[in-house]
Amino acid sequence: MLDPQELYQLADELPELGRPVLLHALSGFVDAGSAGRLAREHLLDTLDSQLVATFDLDQLLDYRSRRPLMHFAADHWESYDEPALELHALRDHDDTPFLLLTGPEPDLQWERFVAAFKLLVDRLQVRLTIGVHAIPMSVPHTRPAGVTAHGTRPELTVGHEPWIANVQVPASMTNLLEFRLGQAGHDAMGFAAHVPHYLADSEYPPAAELLLTSVSRATGLLLPTEDLREAGERVRAEIERQLVDNQQAAAVVRALEEQYDAFTRGRASNLLTEPTPLPTADELGAELERFLAEHHNKDNPKD
């Protein structure tokens, strides 16, 4: 294997970190409701940050499979959205330092990237790594959002009930990092927030709030969530408004509520797959999807 240390470059001056927690929220894998993206952007927008390390994406990214955007203006190319895989140092509301890895999931050299990541974990004396993302589930938005927790030791997930016994899924860097770190004797864990499947393609702030709350409970970090909570309340209120005029969608939500309640009482097996009697996500109606798209555009006029 080529020297994994050549994949990254540390900043010339590193902040005092103690034994920090390291969060990683990479893009490219399943992230229903854009919850992982919303969580990482919220942290970077809300808290002061300092760049700690950058990775050489030319060795890790397949640009043709995930082409970055270029901006054309009248008669010239104005800018290029250059992708970056970066490690940031932030401080929570109690001034406790922690690390956040952001950027695209590597397409290439997975094991070499894992080796480089482990070098950084050792170099920066990281005590715990946590990956965050979200998955679509057959759950209604009217019930408390759930989260699947997993870790390299049972003690790391105390207080979280499993939502499913066994399942085989395509690998992701988020989950491979946890697995390989566990093999190397490091503490690592992850949280996957549950997003109603009919909202998986829209921004869903309640799931992002849940991810940060779960991280806070697991680590003691005081992470900001108020803005995400308020955004989630607005989204829920608008969904309810749409359901008043869409009886088909309202019927689906009621069916999901019944299924969810049965599951929590122990009468259902799992919520990862949709039961046969339930309609698909498309059957929730064009009105709901159109509203969510318009809501996103109003909040993000530059998109």
Side-chain angles (χ1 to χ4, degrees):
M1 180 188 295
L2 297 174
D3 185 358
Q5 192 166 343
E6 295 179 357
L7 276 181
Y8 66 86
Q9 182 175 358
L10 281 171
D12 293 335
E13 295 185 9
L14 299 178
E16 289 293 331
L17 297 169
R19 299 192 64 235
V21 170
L22 191 159
L23 308 183
H24 51 98
L26 304 177
S27 62
F29 187 54
V30 177
D31 188 28
S34 299
R37 175 179 63 79
L38 291 173
R40 69 173 179 262
E41 289 179 354
H42 182 64
L43 291 176
L44 290 173
D45 291 342
T46 307
L47 303 174
D48 292 334
S49 64
Q50 177 180 343
L51 189 62
V52 169
T54 57
F55 285 85
D56 184 359
L57 267 185
D58 271 353
Q59 299 190 56
L60 299 171
L61 192 65
D62 180 356
Y63 290 88
R64 292 183 299 173
S65 68
R66 285 186 283 173
R67 294 180 184 270
L69 295 178
M70 296 184 67
H71 301 270
F72 184 77
D75 59 358
H76 66 281
W77 293 106
E78 189 169 77
S79 63
Y80 168 56
D81 290 347
E82 184 175 356
L85 183 56
E86 300 174 331
L87 185 64
H88 305 265
L90 299 89
R91 290 185 176 272
D92 72 353
H93 283 332
D94 199 29
D95 205 34
T96 301
F98 68 98
L99 297 166
L100 174 65
L101 179 67
T102 67
E105 175 191 55
D107 296 307
L108 310 170
Q109 302 189 49
W110 273 24
E111 293 296 352
R112 188 178 177 216
F113 175 75
V114 169
F117 187 86
K118 286 194 290 187
L119 287 174
L120 282 173
V121 166
D122 291 333
R123 168 69 175 79
L124 301 175
Q125 299 184 349
V126 173
R127 64 180 174 90
L128 173 67
T129 65
I130 304 179
V132 294
H133 70 112
I135 53 178
M137 298 277 274
S138 293
V139 295
H141 68 279
T142 53
R143 295 294 186 267
V147 64
T148 293
H150 40 81
T152 54
R153 295 187 295 114
E155 294 82 0
L156 295 174
T157 58
V158 170
H160 292 276
E161 294 295 328
W163 284 76
I164 191 169
N166 294 286
V167 65
Q168 196 167 30
V169 300
S172 71
M173 181 54 66
T174 294
N175 295 331
L176 182 60
L177 284 174
E178 179 182 320
F179 180 68
R180 291 288 190 235
L181 286 169
Q183 289 180 321
H186 292 282
D187 280 349
M189 63 184 304
F191 292 110
H194 304 165
V195 173
H197 64 85
Y198 51 91
L199 299 173
D201 294 331
S202 306
E203 290 189 354
Y204 193 60
E209 179 195 352
L210 177 60
L211 289 175
L212 295 186
T213 299
S214 298
V215 171
S216 292
R217 290 173 177 168
T219 64
L221 291 172
L222 298 179
L223 301 179
T225 59
E226 183 61 29
D227 289 346
L228 291 173
R229 182 178 302 109
E230 293 176 357
E233 291 173 354
R234 290 194 297 270
V235 168
R236 287 193 184 102
E238 294 295 348
I239 293 172
E240 290 299 318
R241 185 177 66 82
Q242 291 293 317
L243 291 177
V244 171
D245 299 323
N246 190 329
Q247 292 305 308
Q248 180 185 12
V252 174
V253 172
R254 285 194 297 272
L256 288 170
E257 290 172 339
E258 293 174 1
Q259 175 187 281
Y260 179 96
D261 294 342
F263 173 82
T264 57
R265 291 193 298 266
R267 293 207 299 261
S269 56
N270 73 76
L271 298 172
L272 281 177
T273 55
E274 296 179 34
T276 302
L278 287 180
T280 64
D282 291 338
E283 292 177 69
L284 282 170
E287 294 90 345
L288 183 57
E289 292 185 7
R290 183 172 62 251
F291 162 74
L292 291 172
E294 293 174 352
H295 179 76
H296 173 69
N297 291 336
K298 289 178 181 177
D299 288 346
N300 302 273
K302 295 182 181 181
D303 290 354

